[in-house]
Amino acid sequence: MDTRTQLSRLGLFDAKVPRYTSYPTAPHFSNAVTPGHFASWIDAVPENGTVSLYLHVPFCRRLCWFCACRTQGTATLAPVEAYVETLKAELDLLKRHLPRGVKLSRLHWGGGTPTLLSPDLMRALIDKVHEVADFADNAEFSVEIDPNELDGERLDVLAAGGMNRASIGVQDFDEEIQQTIGRPQGYDVTREAVEMIRERGVHSLNADILYGLPHQTRSRITETVQKLLSFAPDRVALYGYAHVPWMAKRQQMIPSEALPTPSERLDLFDTARRLFVWDGYAEIGIDHFAAPDDGLAIAQKTGRLRRNFQGYTDDTSEVLIGLGASSISKFPQGYAQNAPSTGVYTGAIREGRFATAKGHAFSGEDTLRARMIEMLMCDFRIRSSELMRDHGISESALTAMFKRVNTAFEGLMEITEDGLFVPEEARPLTRMIARHFDAYDLSKAGHSSAV
């Protein structure tokens, strides 16, 4: 029996599983976590420690049809200006609670389209962040950039403010695919953006592309990857397009009959993966690639790779604070998410309180299972020694758990005295394997296909 037949029989092409950027996943958050919890968790950050900070800008000049993020279109800057004022007020609230001496290990602006902000708005937001906390040594300030919404003046402000990593969304360079997904973005426009970014001394470049798009073929994704490689990005995220028109209404504009089959999706991923590996990139987890000297590749080699809401990271901070509508924060105590509605979020901040709407406080085996799933997603192995040391679980209990999961996957994994290991041929099943370590109701957690 060939590997693909076995993967198919085990449900690879049919399963709907989470991406596990958190555990438990966001559908399990509840309103039991309040603004009071959020404030007390910030108060508990150690003095002189580090935190990561994420700022969410949920506005776009145009709404791409493929996108399932919570964003809103705007033809003017008026709502963006009002939103930035709210973000600044939220930063002031954070400053009141953040203990003395805390510094930023990471600052990330996401969206939406952060580069929609005018230079003056960018400068005001950067200045406000610096009022809250200074950058730690070797800190990273990254911004998600739409090449269609970029100019030299805005880049000057970002570079002067400390941006040292830029993240560009590409999706696909094929014109027919771009038209079908509502994201026209020519190669020349993207190349010019890359050149402007590097001219300003920002040498760390991330890029996102998608597989599983309508009309996508192996030859087309090959051409896209080769064009992308001409930019020599430091990191690439190769995400699978999730077609969920019942959740993201704008995806109804995309013809479902033009989508590749699940088996074809696997071919598309493998085609792109091989090209990145042939060009010298290290495979990072299930869907990232990094140049050998990039921080992700180094973190993988040294066992420090982590996973959060932005994907894979080499950030070692235990606290990620998300500000802005719908942003999610992670603390050692649990998760807290802001109200997704811009209006509700703005109303809370203007009343002088945090906008936390829901979350999850860790209890029971949450942190144990979260770490097991993170190990799988990052390293394709679960190390028993770390779990026994940090979570007090016995070797016999772990071994019994590993055997149950391995049986469900027809013995494809390896169980040794060191723990559980997923060999290369079984790695397409990683998210499905992780699901077997998930103790929550799986009917709430299935969001996207396993490939």
Side-chain angles (χ1 to χ4, degrees):
M1 182 186 303
D2 62 52
T3 300
R4 182 160 299 201
T5 300
Q6 188 176 23
L7 294 177
S8 176
R9 192 180 64 252
L10 288 170
L12 177 65
F13 301 133
D14 306 309
K16 302 294 182 182
V17 288
R19 294 188 56 80
Y20 285 115
T21 53
S22 71
Y23 178 84
T25 56
H28 298 290
F29 293 179
S30 75
N31 59 10
V33 171
T34 66
H37 289 92
F38 183 62
S40 68
W41 292 348
I42 296 173
D43 292 339
V45 172
E47 288 188 359
N48 302 313
T50 61
V51 300
S52 296
L53 184 62
Y54 171 76
L55 301 185
H56 187 64
V57 180
F59 294 94
C60 295
R61 189 84 62 189
R62 49 147 198 236
L63 296 178
C64 303
W65 302 336
F66 73 90
C67 182
C69 298
R70 287 194 65 95
T71 58
Q72 56 196 83
T74 179
T76 71
L77 272 181
V80 182
E81 291 170 344
Y83 181 83
V84 169
E85 287 303 309
T86 306
L87 266 181
K88 289 163 61 180
E90 190 178 17
L91 282 161
D92 283 333
L93 276 175
L94 173 62
K95 183 180 180 180
R96 293 175 207 163
H97 286 271
L98 205 60
R100 183 177 57 188
V102 171
K103 293 187 176 182
L104 301 181
S105 63
R106 296 290 188 276
L107 171 62
H108 183 71
W109 291 9
T113 308
T115 49
L116 187 70
L117 272 61
S118 68
D120 287 343
L121 289 177
M122 288 180 172
R123 191 177 293 109
L125 198 51
I126 290 170
D127 289 346
K128 180 59 68 174
V129 168
H130 286 311
E131 287 180 20
V132 175
D134 293 326
F135 284 132
D137 293 339
N138 301 315
E140 189 173 278
F141 175 17
S142 56
V143 178
E144 293 177 15
I145 289 175
D146 179 353
N148 294 300
E149 291 287 346
L150 191 66
D151 57 36
E153 189 178 0
R154 281 180 280 189
L155 273 177
D156 287 340
V157 172
L158 290 173
M163 181 182 76
N164 51 15
R165 182 176 292 277
S167 182
I168 289 183
V170 170
Q171 321 322 331
D172 195 289
F173 282 122
D174 185 87
E175 289 186 11
E176 181 183 16
I177 294 174
Q178 289 180 358
Q179 292 298 324
T180 305
I181 66 175
R183 175 62 179 253
Q185 180 182 313
Y187 171 78
D188 290 341
V189 171
T190 309
R191 176 179 51 77
E192 183 179 354
V194 170
E195 290 173 354
M196 287 196 299
I197 289 167
R198 288 190 164 139
E199 284 170 359
R200 285 156 178 80
V202 182
H203 298 296
S204 296
L205 180 69
N206 296 4
D208 296 348
I209 63 172
L210 293 175
Y211 69 92
L213 291 171
H215 305 301
Q216 206 171 41
T217 63
R218 281 187 286 184
S219 62
R220 285 180 167 182
I221 201 169
T222 294
E223 185 174 1
T224 285
V225 171
Q226 289 173 337
K227 286 181 175 179
L228 180 61
L229 288 171
S230 72
F231 304 145
D234 299 86
R235 299 177 186 174
V236 178
L238 176 62
Y239 293 128
Y241 167 62
H243 191 61
V244 288
W246 56 91
M247 291 174 54
K249 300 302 182 185
R250 70 190 78 162
Q251 289 188 355
Q252 294 175 2
M253 302 288 289
I254 295 176
S256 58
E257 66 273 11
L259 295 171
T261 66
S263 182
E264 289 168 341
R265 283 172 62 95
L266 185 57
D267 287 335
L268 291 167
F269 174 83
D270 196 52
T271 297
R273 182 190 68 82
R274 289 174 183 271
L275 290 168
F276 289 123
V277 172
W278 286 339
D279 212 59
Y281 285 79
E283 292 186 72
I284 308 296
I286 63 169
D287 53 16
H288 279 52
F289 302 85
D293 59 349
D294 182 78
L296 283 189
I298 295 170
Q300 182 187 59
K301 290 177 182 177
T302 56
R304 296 183 295 103
L305 188 65
R306 292 292 183 265
R307 188 163 172 82
N308 64 19
F309 295 104
Q310 281 81 57
Y312 291 102
T313 181
D314 55 349
D315 183 21
T316 57
S317 176
E318 294 295 321
V319 175
L320 168 63
I321 298 175
L323 303 184
S326 79
S327 285
I328 302 177
S329 301
K330 180 185 178 183
F331 299 88
Q333 299 91 338
Y335 299 106
Q337 182 172 17
N338 276 352
S341 163
T342 304
V344 174
Y345 157 76
T346 299
I349 301 301
R350 286 179 177 174
E351 291 174 4
R353 56 185 174 85
F354 287 118
T356 308
K358 58 183 177 178
H360 179 86
F362 294 140
S363 62
E365 294 185 335
D366 283 346
T367 56
L368 165 67
R369 291 180 179 270
R371 184 62 185 132
M372 294 170 82
I373 288 172
E374 185 179 45
M375 285 180 178
L376 278 173
M377 299 294 289
C378 290
D379 306 316
F380 304 111
R381 68 172 70 243
I382 298 177
R383 295 180 294 275
S384 297
S385 58
E386 177 186 325
L387 297 177
M388 290 187 290
R389 181 194 68 209
D390 296 343
H391 298 277
I393 189 171
S394 68
E395 184 175 11
S396 60
L398 279 174
T399 301
M401 193 182 301
F402 295 159
K403 286 181 177 179
R404 285 195 300 272
V405 175
N406 199 27
T407 298
F409 288 93
E410 301 180 351
L412 279 174
M413 290 167 279
E414 298 173 11
I415 300 174
T416 69
E417 60 182 15
D418 296 323
L420 180 74
F421 176 70
V422 182
E424 186 171 349
E425 62 271 17
R427 288 178 186 175
L429 298 166
T430 300
R431 287 164 58 199
M432 295 177 62
I433 295 168
R435 186 177 68 175
H436 279 258
F437 290 96
D438 188 333
Y440 288 85
D441 179 4
L442 301 184
S443 65
K444 291 184 179 180
H447 297 299
S448 60
S449 63
V451 293

